[in-house]
Amino acid sequence: MMENSTTSNQRHSKPGVVVVSLTAATVITSSIMAVGFGLAILLAVLFNFKATTATHCKVVNYLPSISAAIAKPPSSYVWRFVITITAVQRFAAVRFHYLQYSKVASKRSMYPVLCRLCFLCELIEILALVGLTCISSNENTSMHENLFVTFQVCSMVFMLLMCIVYSWASGRPPGSRNKTPWERRSLQLKVLTFLINLSCFLIAVYFYFRHNAYCEPGVYSLFAFFEYLVVLSNIGFHATVTFDFGDKLIMFGAAVEHEKQ
């Protein structure tokens, strides 16, 4: 259950009720994903270096791709554990984002449509992430690749649409151009993170096809490096979306009646 901080301040001292700010929950979830991702790559390098850096070109490489890294234990165990414990928060965030933005009154006729598209893209993105985590490239290569493409396409479309939705929704009154300093910084951060994600993805695609075409030493490692940045910028973007609702609190525990006036 989520509430404004002002409402919940009267309740958080009640026994049996645990209150966590949405900001704290976002930091925890994003940190778990980022640290877990880094740990999965590190374990792949330490324990499965040859297997995860080998390609059909049989040239020297220094970094494993994400798909290769999370396909072999112990990296696969770490990444699956990370996705398992963060998936609930990510799915809850999908609905929460939609509910919050769909409440905003906007004069633009396309605003409700974009809100629904954001909801759909974010939902498919998370479903694809769970799918590609459960189905490794070793188990079903084509299925894993299709899920990864779905994840990345929906991720970038969501980022682009969310930048537009946030720009239209922010301002005082909603939809005006008079944004607060926080809203301007938040929009700038969203746009910057999206551009980093898009740029790194295009660079990764370039190195991927260059590796397959010319089989140059180390090129596949460059592909893997920019692939890492794509994932990390994705985590960062989702964090910025939820940070906009830092005044919200998540309450765990039994329902508590309102105090009598």
Side-chain angles (χ1 to χ4, degrees):
M1 179 171 65
M2 293 189 182
E3 295 189 357
N4 291 327
S5 57
T6 53
T7 303
S8 184
N9 282 340
Q10 301 173 358
R11 299 186 183 187
H12 71 273
S13 61
K14 294 288 184 180
V17 178
V18 177
V19 179
V20 180
S21 71
L22 191 57
T23 298
T26 303
V27 170
I28 292 171
T29 301
S30 300
S31 298
I32 289 174
M33 293 193 70
V35 172
F37 173 73
L39 182 59
I41 299 299
L42 178 61
L43 291 175
V45 171
L46 294 177
F47 294 100
N48 296 296
F49 181 77
K50 289 185 178 180
T52 56
T53 57
T55 69
H56 70 283
C57 288
K58 298 181 179 180
V59 294
V60 176
N61 287 299
Y62 310 100
L63 294 172
S65 68
I66 297 173
S67 295
I70 65 175
K72 293 183 176 295
S75 298
S76 59
Y77 301 150
V78 171
W79 186 241
R80 287 174 180 176
F81 176 74
V82 166
I83 296 302
T84 299
I85 63 176
T86 58
V88 174
Q89 190 275 340
R90 295 292 294 271
F91 280 117
V94 174
R95 176 171 171 76
F96 175 71
H97 295 156
Y98 175 72
L99 291 176
Q100 295 301 312
Y101 281 105
S102 62
K103 293 177 182 177
V104 176
S106 176
K107 295 180 180 180
R108 294 178 170 88
S109 59
M110 287 297 296
Y111 180 81
V113 177
L114 293 187
C115 285
R116 296 188 188 98
L117 287 176
C118 278
F119 171 80
L120 183 62
C121 288
E122 190 176 14
L123 178 61
I124 295 176
E125 175 194 344
I126 305 305
L127 288 172
L129 176 61
V130 173
L132 68 88
T133 300
C134 295
I135 304 173
S136 70
S137 58
N138 287 347
E139 295 167 335
N140 191 323
T141 303
S142 61
M143 179 66 74
H144 181 86
E145 289 177 350
N146 289 334
L147 287 169
F148 179 81
V149 171
T150 302
F151 164 78
Q152 186 57 34
V153 170
C154 288
S155 170
M156 291 189 296
V157 173
F158 166 73
M159 291 182 187
L160 174 61
L161 294 180
M162 178 51 66
C163 288
I164 299 173
V165 167
Y166 185 79
S167 178
W168 288 359
S170 57
R172 297 294 180 269
S176 74
R177 297 183 179 181
N178 300 319
K179 294 179 174 58
T180 65
W182 164 258
E183 288 170 341
R184 286 194 295 270
R185 287 194 298 269
S186 181
L187 179 59
Q188 291 169 356
L189 186 58
K190 285 177 176 61
V191 173
L192 176 62
T193 311
F194 166 63
L195 291 177
I196 291 174
N197 184 273
L198 178 61
S199 299
C200 290
F201 174 72
L202 294 177
I203 294 172
V205 170
Y206 165 75
F207 282 122
Y208 177 81
F209 283 107
R210 177 168 175 169
H211 166 75
N212 287 331
Y214 301 107
C215 289
E216 300 167 298
V219 172
Y220 193 75
S221 299
L222 291 173
F223 156 73
F225 174 75
F226 283 99
E227 192 182 29
Y228 302 163
L229 296 182
V230 169
V231 171
L232 293 175
S233 59
N234 175 279
I235 296 172
F237 186 92
H238 280 276
T240 67
V241 176
T242 309
F243 273 141
D244 293 322
F245 307 100
D247 62 327
K248 303 293 183 180
L249 299 175
I250 306 174
M251 299 183 65
F252 302 92
V256 181
E257 293 183 357
H258 287 279
E259 296 193 16
K260 295 181 179 179
Q261 300 296 329

